[in-house]
Amino acid sequence: MAAHFLKNRHMLGWVQATPLTLVLLAFLIAPIVMIVIVSFWGATEFSIYPAFQFDNYEFLFSSPVTYRVFGNTLKYALITWALTLVIGFTVAYYLAFHIRSQTMQIALFLLCTIPFWTSNIIRMISWIPFLGRNGIANQTLISWGVIDEPLEWLLYSDFSVILAFVHLYTLFMVVPIFNTMMRIDRSLLEAARDNGANGLQTLMHVIIPLTKPGIMIGTIFVVTLVMGDFITVRFMSGSQRANVGRLISNDIGLLQYPSAAATAVVLLGTVLIVIAILLRFVNIRKEL
């Protein structure tokens, strides 16, 4: 009887999982498989044709531009990750441990989400009149006597690209860290203080270790979003910088779909390697 019950329960689990499995196959696995297949096809100036050849990958790995662009993409991802981690951790720590009222926590958290009420492009473009040569930032610094002439590197530079990335993706770091911090047993903090630990020691030896799952989840969000982005680099660099997303976008614009697919496959592999390395530091499933 028990065996029959377990068998029916197992079959029920399979039935319940079938719709989700079909959705994942149709909208995740199938497109990725198609991209991998197309990456081996050939292309002319006017058409593409089915084939099984490594020309796209050979051209990709033999071009020095590829390594510069991937290096640029990793640079953006690393700097953006470091800045969003510092800002996100600080904001989450303040909300979780310094705001006692749950109502105030919710209100301040919603305040952080206000920029997401508009599209990424609008939020990004809003920096242009602020950072431009005759923008608010330069005019303010000149009026204060801090500088004598406008700073050219504020806009259409790596600085403006990273600033936009940090503005766009910091919330993706705040949310998982805040969620993890709210689950920390406050009696552990009391025990640390009772044993003579100061604020810094409590932070380093209690809060940060217990917040690692949230930090890793936020890191995965930020790194994958930055590495796959292309529109931010295009707008905020004035088309003077490039990343892998822009490389793929340019190939698609030239109807070179096999080349774009090959670059996308390499980018996907790079992102998966980065995620695998991150997951070596913490078992998210075990610690959540």
Side-chain angles (χ1 to χ4, degrees):
M1 187 72 177
H4 180 69
F5 174 76
L6 290 174
K7 182 178 179 180
N8 288 339
R9 185 176 179 181
H10 183 70
M11 291 181 62
L12 180 62
W14 275 104
V15 172
Q16 292 175 337
T18 299
L20 180 59
T21 303
L22 293 176
V23 169
L24 289 175
L25 286 173
F27 296 102
L28 179 64
I29 305 300
I32 292 176
V33 170
M34 192 62 203
I35 290 173
V36 173
I37 292 173
V38 172
S39 70
F40 293 100
W41 287 10
T44 64
E45 293 182 2
F46 308 104
S47 65
I48 62 175
Y49 54 90
F52 185 77
Q53 57 190 26
F54 293 91
D55 293 3
N56 298 312
Y57 291 98
E58 289 177 1
F59 175 78
L60 193 64
F61 288 111
S62 63
S63 173
V65 174
T66 301
Y67 298 98
R68 288 200 300 271
V69 169
F70 269 86
N72 221 25
T73 302
L74 291 172
K75 177 186 69 177
Y76 288 146
L78 181 61
I79 297 175
T80 303
W81 166 78
L83 294 175
T84 54
L85 177 59
V86 172
I87 298 171
F89 189 92
T90 303
V91 172
Y93 181 86
Y94 177 76
L95 291 176
F97 297 111
H98 288 274
I99 304 299
R100 304 300 180 184
S101 169
Q102 185 177 15
T103 303
M104 185 59 68
Q105 282 182 338
I106 295 173
L108 291 176
F109 186 79
L110 290 176
L111 187 65
C112 295
T113 67
I114 288 178
F116 281 77
W117 297 359
T118 58
S119 71
N120 281 8
I121 295 178
I122 293 175
R123 284 183 286 151
M124 194 168 29
I125 292 177
S126 67
W127 282 106
I128 295 178
F130 184 82
L131 299 174
R133 180 179 177 83
N134 298 313
I136 297 173
N138 272 316
Q139 293 303 312
T140 302
L141 291 174
I142 291 174
S143 66
W144 288 352
V146 178
I147 57 176
D148 297 323
E149 57 184 21
L151 299 174
E152 301 289 348
W153 53 266
L154 287 182
L155 186 62
Y156 302 140
S157 62
D158 285 341
F159 171 81
S160 58
V161 172
I162 292 170
L163 179 64
F165 276 142
V166 172
H167 176 212
L168 293 174
Y169 300 135
T170 295
L171 190 63
F172 290 94
M173 187 68 78
V174 173
V175 173
I177 294 178
F178 174 73
N179 182 57
T180 307
M181 284 183 174
M182 290 300 295
R183 298 174 58 189
I184 295 176
D185 189 348
R186 295 307 189 266
S187 63
L188 295 175
L189 307 183
E190 295 288 344
R193 282 194 291 267
D194 292 342
N195 282 278
N198 57 34
L200 181 60
Q201 290 172 327
T202 303
L203 176 67
M204 297 300 297
H205 299 290
V206 179
I207 296 176
I208 290 179
L210 293 177
T211 313
K212 284 195 300 182
I215 293 174
M216 285 299 110
I217 293 172
T219 298
I220 291 171
F221 281 152
V222 171
V223 169
T224 53
L225 287 170
V226 171
M227 293 189 71
D229 187 282
F230 74 94
I231 196 71
T232 303
V233 176
R234 177 182 175 185
F235 276 102
M236 298 307 295
S237 72
S239 297
Q240 298 178 38
R241 303 290 189 276
N243 66 343
V244 181
R246 280 211 64 198
L247 202 62
I248 296 172
S249 176
N250 290 342
D251 282 338
I252 292 175
L254 296 172
L255 303 181
Q256 296 297 308
Y257 297 114
S259 178
T263 307
V265 170
V266 175
L267 175 61
L268 176 61
T270 304
V271 171
L272 291 177
I273 290 172
V274 171
I275 293 175
I277 293 172
L278 292 174
L279 293 179
R280 296 282 294 179
F281 292 98
V282 59
N283 188 337
I284 294 177
R285 180 180 297 181
K286 181 181 178 181
E287 298 200 28
L288 286 179

